[in-house]
Amino acid sequence: MRYRQARWEAGEGILEPTIFELGKIGEGGVVVAKPDNRIIEETGKLEDILPKKLVRENISIPGLTEPEVARHFNHLTQMNFGVDSGPYWLGSCTMKYTPKLVMRLASYHELRELHPYSPEELTQGILRVLYELQNMLSIITGLTHFTLQPAAGAHGELVGALIMRKRFLDLSERRDEMLIPDSAHGSNFASATMAGFKIVRIPPSDEGTIDLSALRAAINEKTAGMMVTNPNTLGIFENNILEAADMLHNNGSYLYYDGANLNAIMGWLRLSDMGVDLAHFNMHKTFSAPHGGGGPGAGAVGVTNELKDYLPVPIIVKEENRYKLSYEVPKSIGKVRMFYGNVGVLVKAWSYLKLLGSEGVRTSSGIAVLNANYARKRLMDIGFEVPYGKNRPCKHEFVLSLSNFRREYGIKALDFAKALIDRGYHPPTIYFPPIVHEAFMMEPTESDSLREIDGYIDAMREIKESAKEKPDEVLNAPRNAAITRINDALANKKLWLTWKIYKESKEREN
Ligand SMILES: *Cc1c(COP(=O)(O)O)cnc(C)c1O
């Protein structure tokens, strides 16, 4: 297309026109067959059957040929970056590779076309898959009862928080405070607030872990529980987790575990042994279902025996070799999601666990941790700073601070991230967790080979040198991508979705 090329020549990347700009109204790639005469004889002409005032003369749908449509969508996919395009060390998000077999199993038409209202006699297969997934999660985590319904991690947190609330209502205890460490994921604060709790923040110690004296000071008769991520978002294992669990339990409070970081410990230690009472797990992180771009997720929630009666309905049970959905959960918090949850995502998680087997589960976490430690050590050796926990091994992720680049060369974590795009790497998570200045939160996962990891580190080294010698290159990055440097603030307020708007705003600028 002419404009695609023009923008490329101007060094501005490519911009795929929308289908409305590409196509012409009235043209079409599909020819609809004329109805059979016998049908017309039976029913009369369409124009005569339909009320005149409802009949539309034309519809403004842009017409394109089939190859044009195929190319349009292909171009859009090429402008994107996914785990299949290159290393994607987005800390906290566990962007691991999804084996192609997992995708194939989930797209079997028997599954795809399964109707959620099908009777139980016809859905024994899928119920068995879901039941088995719960059992596998139970073996991995030590938590005994599960719901697979929450649609995402944050939704799982909300379910967990609602379970705690209902439990204390039942006990006639007025507990409305939720403790959350500063290093926690933002969704923890939001979910607990939505469930009606007041948030009490726990500051980190110098080591980046929970400060036990701060925790002791915060616990009181109003404390419902604490939401922890372990290893925390700095990639550091909370060595004091057992003491923290005891302090909470002695006070009648619960320990909620944000299981997004299960990839660090899966198969090595059980949550139940850490004193965890309830937790959510992202099927779309640890268990390989692809995510990002707002796609569906699944945030299974596991609880101990004590809290099983509060799970959302329906639960999946097995009675005399038959699987069924049961609504007999005496104190259930109710329904949180239609039907069985995001079944496609759950099937992917099940397939992934079946592919790995018990040894594979352990090995994959082991390699994820090894990869993170290798990458961290090499980055530290070439002069990158790790503000928290540099003297002990990290788990599956680690956080650099690039504040020295900002001080010395005026280069922010954002600029550094953009320069990685030019080199074919997806940037890590930046500016999170907020307790680290100019944070660069990196999670290689077990998916990347030594070659890929070394490549990422070489790119980091190269950008570090550019920052010193030719900072303009870093400040103007990316030049080598479908979309070049954008004005982030403006882009958030005003979407340049069409070529026309883009051109107009350029003209106005000049
Ligand atoms: C991703 C993540 C969540 C939230 O999961 P969503 O599926 O995005 O809602 C919660 N906590 C942590 C630590 C995470 O990394």
Side-chain angles (χ1 to χ4, degrees):
M1 280 329 285
R2 207 160 12 90
Y3 21 85
R4 203 177 286 139
Q5 198 182 341
R7 190 157 177 238
W8 187 251
E9 277 163 9
E12 290 174 339
I14 45 174
L15 185 79
E16 180 67 12
T18 63
I19 215 139
F20 288 88
E21 291 170 289
L22 268 181
K24 215 167 140 199
I25 290 163
E27 282 178 5
V30 183
V31 181
V32 184
K34 290 249 172 338
D36 199 287
N37 274 340
R38 274 174 306 167
I39 295 177
I40 297 177
E41 271 164 33
E42 279 303 320
T43 60
K45 276 199 182 139
L46 206 57
E47 301 89 284
D48 302 334
I49 312 168
L50 296 171
K52 282 274 166 312
K53 63 171 193 240
L54 293 182
V55 174
R56 297 176 65 175
E57 302 280 302
N58 53 46
I59 313 170
S60 310
I61 294 175
L64 291 126
T65 64
E66 186 174 321
E68 283 173 320
V69 173
R71 285 168 194 159
H72 172 68
F73 285 106
N74 227 347
H75 289 147
L76 291 180
T77 66
Q78 286 160 353
M79 289 166 73
N80 206 348
F81 192 106
V83 181
D84 284 6
S85 330
Y88 204 135
W89 296 8
L90 198 67
S92 199
C93 295
T94 312
M95 303 299 290
K96 64 166 72 175
Y97 174 76
T98 309
K100 291 290 165 263
L101 187 59
V102 164
M103 292 306 279
R104 243 179 84 185
L105 289 172
S107 44
Y108 271 173
H109 86 98
E110 288 89 339
L111 278 167
R112 264 197 344 248
E113 275 147 40
L114 193 67
H115 197 282
Y117 280 132
S118 307
E120 261 159 32
E121 307 89 85
L122 300 180
T123 50
Q124 285 297 300
I126 189 65
L127 290 176
R128 174 173 162 193
V129 164
L130 300 179
Y131 187 81
E132 286 183 6
L133 175 59
Q134 290 182 0
N135 282 353
M136 290 191 280
L137 291 174
S138 182
I139 292 166
I140 292 170
T141 63
L143 295 169
T144 49
H145 293 76
F146 274 84
T147 173
L148 302 176
Q149 294 198 30
H155 194 194
E157 291 166 27
L158 178 64
V159 166
L162 290 173
I163 288 176
M164 288 185 258
R165 189 175 81 171
K166 185 97 195 275
R167 171 72 176 159
F168 288 121
L169 269 173
D170 260 11
L171 297 173
S172 306
E173 290 182 30
R174 271 187 62 99
R175 292 182 186 247
D176 61 356
E177 288 182 4
M178 188 64 74
L179 313 183
I180 305 182
D182 271 346
S183 63
H185 197 259
S187 54
N188 290 186
F189 301 92
S191 316
T193 305
M194 273 185 78
F197 290 105
K198 291 196 198 95
I199 309 296
V200 179
R201 306 174 73 121
I202 310 290
S205 67
D206 294 342
E207 290 279 279
T209 50
I210 299 167
D211 185 338
L212 283 186
S213 52
L215 177 61
R216 189 170 298 114
I219 292 181
N220 63 48
E221 72 285 353
K222 286 196 179 152
T223 309
M226 176 162 78
M227 297 177 87
V228 293
T229 308
N230 192 19
N232 62 27
T233 54
L234 293 164
I236 302 171
F237 191 81
E238 297 282 359
N239 281 341
N240 292 329
I241 191 72
L242 291 177
E243 285 90 335
D246 280 347
M247 279 156 81
L248 289 159
H249 291 158
N250 289 339
N251 186 58
S253 319
Y254 290 110
L255 180 58
Y256 181 93
Y257 179 97
D258 176 335
N261 290 352
L262 202 68
N263 211 40
I265 58 166
M266 168 170 79
W268 295 81
L269 50 111
R270 291 185 307 183
L271 270 55
S272 53
D273 296 333
M274 283 196 256
V276 169
D277 299 291
L278 69 173
H280 80 265
F281 308 98
N282 287 19
M283 302 298 105
H284 48 292
K285 288 180 181 171
T286 313
F287 302 105
S288 94
H291 58 117
V301 171
V303 299
T304 55
N305 205 38
E306 181 182 329
L307 294 173
K308 71 171 192 300
D309 289 343
Y310 296 87
L311 285 174
V313 283
I315 53 166
I316 302 160
V317 294
K318 188 178 177 189
E319 282 169 10
E320 294 162 14
N321 278 332
R322 284 181 58 78
Y323 300 92
K324 59 179 268 211
L325 295 172
S326 163
Y327 285 80
E328 283 157 36
V329 184
K331 296 166 179 163
S332 171
I333 59 164
K335 191 115 181 69
V336 297
R337 180 88 175 89
M338 72 254 262
F339 305 119
Y340 319 96
N342 283 336
V343 171
V345 179
L346 298 168
V347 170
K348 284 170 203 162
W350 176 88
S351 322
Y352 180 69
L353 281 169
K354 286 284 197 185
L355 273 181
L356 284 182
S358 2
E359 266 313 303
V361 163
R362 245 173 98 80
T363 312
S364 72
S365 280
I367 296 175
V369 171
L370 200 59
N371 281 356
N373 277 283
Y374 172 79
R376 188 183 72 142
K377 172 77 171 49
R378 285 213 47 206
L379 287 167
M380 280 164 71
D381 286 349
I382 57 179
F384 285 94
E385 281 177 28
V386 175
Y388 286 102
K390 60 168 155 280
N391 299 321
R392 43 190 284 209
C394 64
K395 289 292 173 288
H396 65 309
E397 66 190 359
F398 56 92
V399 184
L400 307 179
S401 168
L402 303 192
S403 55
N404 56 328
F405 287 89
R406 180 155 197 175
R407 250 188 341 265
E408 285 167 37
Y409 317 115
I411 293 210
K412 305 186 291 296
L414 175 80
D415 305 314
F416 215 98
K418 299 280 188 196
L420 275 168
I421 299 176
D422 266 344
R423 288 161 178 82
Y425 296 95
H426 194 286
T429 299
I430 55 175
Y431 300 106
F432 181 80
I435 48 178
V436 174
H437 296 296
E438 300 295 323
F440 229 51
M441 184 194 208
M442 310 182 88
E443 181 179 2
T445 80
E446 71 279 18
S447 303
D448 281 342
S449 64
L450 187 57
R451 266 190 305 280
E452 298 271 38
I453 297 175
D454 284 341
Y456 206 121
I457 290 159
D458 286 346
M460 293 283 288
R461 191 212 320 258
E462 227 178 85
I463 301 166
K464 182 171 178 265
E465 279 156 20
S466 296
K468 200 158 123 196
E469 280 146 28
K470 31 185 180 168
D472 276 356
E473 191 222 281
V474 182
L475 290 167
N476 290 321
R479 306 296 297 162
N480 224 343
I483 301 290
T484 49
R485 183 66 75 105
I486 49 169
N487 179 336
D488 302 45
L490 192 64
N492 266 311
K493 289 192 188 148
K494 188 169 170 9
L495 291 172
W496 288 332
L497 286 180
T498 68
W499 172 251
K500 195 162 154 276
I501 301 179
Y502 173 79
K503 239 176 28 186
E504 279 168 12
S505 35
K506 273 282 154 189
E507 273 157 22
R508 225 170 301 130
E509 253 173 55
N510 291 334

